Amino acid sequence: MDLRQLRYFLVLSEELNFTRAAARCNVSQPPLSRAIAQLENELQATLFVRDTHRVSLTAAGTSLVEDARRILAGVNEAGEKARSIALGQRGTLKLGFGGSTVYSLWPRLVRGFRAASPNVTIKFLSMPVIEQIEALRDARIDVGLIREPILDELLATQTVYRETLAVVLPSAHPLAATEGAIAIQELASSPFVTYEPRRGFSYHADLHAQCRIAGFEPMIAHEAPSTEAVIGIVACGEGVAIVPASAERLHMHGVCFRPLRATEPPQPFESVTFGLAWNKLSASAVALEFVAHARAWAEKSGISEASLSSANIASGSGSPMGAISS
């Protein structure tokens, strides 16, 4: 028994006429008749009663109709499922979900992707952004949202957002009483609260490089895994920090934000770029489809070229995207 025989059988069961059934199947009558005869021979059952005037189903034929329809429907469904998985429209997508991006960029990307690919199962794995590099390497997540550049040979990225950096100060810090942007050299005598160093995460190297350009080595007092934790330690009066400007949207008490004054020419550490990241060796079709959706969304929205102005930081109006932070 093969699918061609079952299809011919179903058409003939509906038409009860070999000529019309052959026309519907786009074959001549002899191949159709042979296929039906082969099917009856394989089943060792007569499926149709034929005479010079009419064709009718036997009891065995009537019984086979329902099963044949179910079998062919299952085959069609399996084919559609395989095609949609290959196109990234079905399957499971594991997202690294952490940082203040939970409240801003992720919802926009996920809602849009859900509308385009409703059959994808999305799983959210909560973890700080700087832990997502190892999670991507280990295939524990399919896509993460990470500060670029990522210095890892296994990972690829797609930029989705860019903004300036800001200085976060304890409310009692002498510079908190000032207005306007703060140059990094003004922080030379202050201890720093930084992100924990992780593989592929260049924050530490960038901070040290920027401070050296300004003529000093930063005093690292504390390290923390997330922007929320970094700002929380600053609020305790334990140091100053440099974070994505939109982190002001966290509205944490005991701190104030000031723009980081750009140098001439601007240095790479004076702004931050966020990108979707995925493992180049193990990326699924669903993950690549999500990245393609995010790329199209970012290009349409102009988000990939967005930058938060110093005026917005100073006024507290924040990023048009909300809180985007590590």
Side-chain angles (χ1 to χ4, degrees), residues 110-174:
V110 170
R111 284 196 299 266
F113 181 72
R114 171 66 75 202
S117 303
N119 293 320
V120 171
T121 299
I122 299 177
K123 294 185 177 180
F124 301 100
L125 283 78
S126 178
M127 63 183 66
V129 172
I130 59 176
E131 291 184 9
Q132 293 182 25
I133 291 177
E134 288 302 324
L136 287 165
R137 291 181 61 88
D138 299 340
R140 286 181 283 127
I141 60 174
D142 298 310
V143 179
L145 181 62
I146 297 178
R147 179 180 181 268
E148 296 182 302
I150 296 174
L151 308 177
D152 194 298
E153 69 281 1
L154 288 182
L155 305 185
T157 62
Q158 168 63 47
T159 299
V160 291
Y161 185 68
R162 182 177 294 111
E163 65 170 308
T164 55
L165 291 168
V167 178
V168 56
L169 307 163
S171 297
H173 194 283

Side-chain angles (χ1 to χ4, degrees), residues 77-240:
E77 182 180 353
E80 287 298 323
K81 183 178 180 179
R83 279 189 291 273
S84 63
I85 289 175
L87 293 172
Q89 298 169 349
R90 186 188 294 264
T92 299
L93 178 67
K94 295 176 290 185
L95 298 178
F97 206 62
S100 52
T101 53
V102 167
Y103 310 109
S104 53
L105 185 55
W106 270 133
R108 298 182 184 215
L109 294 178
V110 170
R111 284 196 299 266
F113 181 72
R114 171 66 75 202
S117 303
N119 293 320
V120 171
T121 299
I122 299 177
K123 294 185 177 180
F124 301 100
L125 283 78
S126 178
M127 63 183 66
V129 172
I130 59 176
E131 291 184 9
Q132 293 182 25
I133 291 177
E134 288 302 324
L136 287 165
R137 291 181 61 88
D138 299 340
R140 286 181 283 127
I141 60 174
D142 298 310
V143 179
L145 181 62
I146 297 178
R147 179 180 181 268
E148 296 182 302
I150 296 174
L151 308 177
D152 194 298
E153 69 281 1
L154 288 182
L155 305 185
T157 62
Q158 168 63 47
T159 299
V160 291
Y161 185 68
R162 182 177 294 111
E163 65 170 308
T164 55
L165 291 168
V167 178
V168 56
L169 307 163
S171 297
H173 194 283
L175 290 174
T178 64
E179 295 184 359
I182 294 174
I184 197 166
Q185 55 264 34
E186 296 180 72
L187 305 174
S189 61
S190 299
F192 277 78
V193 182
T194 71
Y195 297 102
E196 294 175 349
R198 296 292 177 95
R199 177 177 180 174
F201 187 58
S202 63
Y203 178 91
H204 262 249
D206 291 344
L207 174 63
H208 278 80
Q210 188 74 2
C211 291
R212 289 190 190 106
I213 292 171
F216 71 98
E217 287 289 335
M219 297 182 292
I220 308 299
H222 300 279
E223 297 174 346
S226 67
T227 297
E228 295 93 330
V230 167
I231 297 175
I233 295 172
V234 172
C236 294
E238 291 292 300
V240 301

